[in-house]
Amino acid sequence: MAERADDRDGLRLDRLNLSLGPALPDWPAGLVVEVALQGDVVQEARVRPSDIGGAVHRCPFWSAPWLLAAGGETVSCGAADRRRCAAHLDSLGRFLAVAGWPDPAARSRRLRDAVLADVAPGEVARDVQGLTRRIRASRVLRRLTVGLGELPAARARDLGISGPALTADGDVHARLCVWLDEIERSLGGMNDTGPLATDRAEGPRGRIGGTTPPSQALLDVLPVLLRGAEYACARLIVASLDPDLDELAYVGVAHG
């Protein structure tokens, strides 16, 4: 519904209220972000998780190794690294698709599937490194993402954010680079048969075992990061955090 309001320059412009999600292509499943637009700029944003199917009794897929280990099951470090690598390739594929780079997005998803299919790390290492090298070298992608969705580490820590978004200590491009680093590092750890430690366990989206799931903190910061962003950039900011709403449903059971 359109209405009129002052924009950030004091002009009276149409104000359009839109809901993004929950079924957009390459959008976090179940997420709804309600935005108020003036022109192509987000003036306000509010995250409203849609119906996520209620509480579930199975671990969220991407965080399962760490949650199972925390529950007393024996999980190897290599299995956790394999899941982390696949999770970031999955997020990367979504991000690249939103950025309008379909071929690398498809390549990332093929590699994700290969990693999940227990392919030996050596069989995908060359392709993974080729993909990460190409993404790092892209000047277009850098120009598109540098300075967008700035989230300094101190602020992230205050908001309870952990994982890649905290490590990145910066913008969308910094968060993308952390994913690339973790993909490469995880690929190198997949043959580790040692038991996964349960203290300060950190899954693909952040610390596991706290009072709230890591994706909740990512959802909480979205309205702040989206405010003032151009509409086309808003989806890149969301994609660079890629919250997993399955984590919220599972915690609902654990603490219910």
Side-chain angles (χ1 to χ4, degrees), residues 117-226:
D118 289 336
V119 169
E123 294 183 27
V124 293
R126 185 173 179 179
D127 283 344
V128 168
Q129 290 161 0
L131 176 65
T132 56
R133 187 165 52 246
R134 184 179 178 189
I135 293 171
R136 283 195 174 96
S138 172
R139 295 181 180 179
V140 173
L141 194 59
R142 176 180 289 273
R143 281 199 301 270
L144 188 66
T145 55
V146 165
L148 185 65
E150 288 274 3
L151 182 59
R155 189 179 189 188
R157 193 175 293 108
D158 289 344
L159 294 169
I161 292 171
S162 53
L166 174 63
T167 303
D169 186 21
D171 54 19
V172 167
H173 191 263
R175 292 192 283 276
L176 175 65
C177 288
V178 170
W179 282 348
L180 301 180
D181 291 343
E182 292 199 354
I183 287 170
E184 293 171 342
R185 187 164 53 249
S186 299
L187 190 66
M190 287 183 193
N191 290 327
D192 187 345
T193 58
L196 182 65
T198 57
D199 58 320
R200 298 187 64 78
E202 192 159 288
R205 289 168 176 84
R207 191 171 306 127
I208 302 294
T211 55
T212 57
S215 286
Q216 182 62 61
L218 298 177
L219 292 174
D220 291 343
V221 80
L222 266 180
V224 178
L225 296 185
L226 294 180

Side-chain angles (χ1 to χ4, degrees), residues 9-29:
D9 298 319
L11 302 175
R12 298 286 290 178
L13 294 176
D14 284 341
R15 181 182 172 104
L16 181 63
N17 297 311
L18 290 177
S19 290
L20 306 180
L24 288 172
D26 302 305
W27 182 258

Side-chain angles (χ1 to χ4, degrees), residues 46 171 241:
R46 185 175 75 92
D171 54 19
L241 297 174

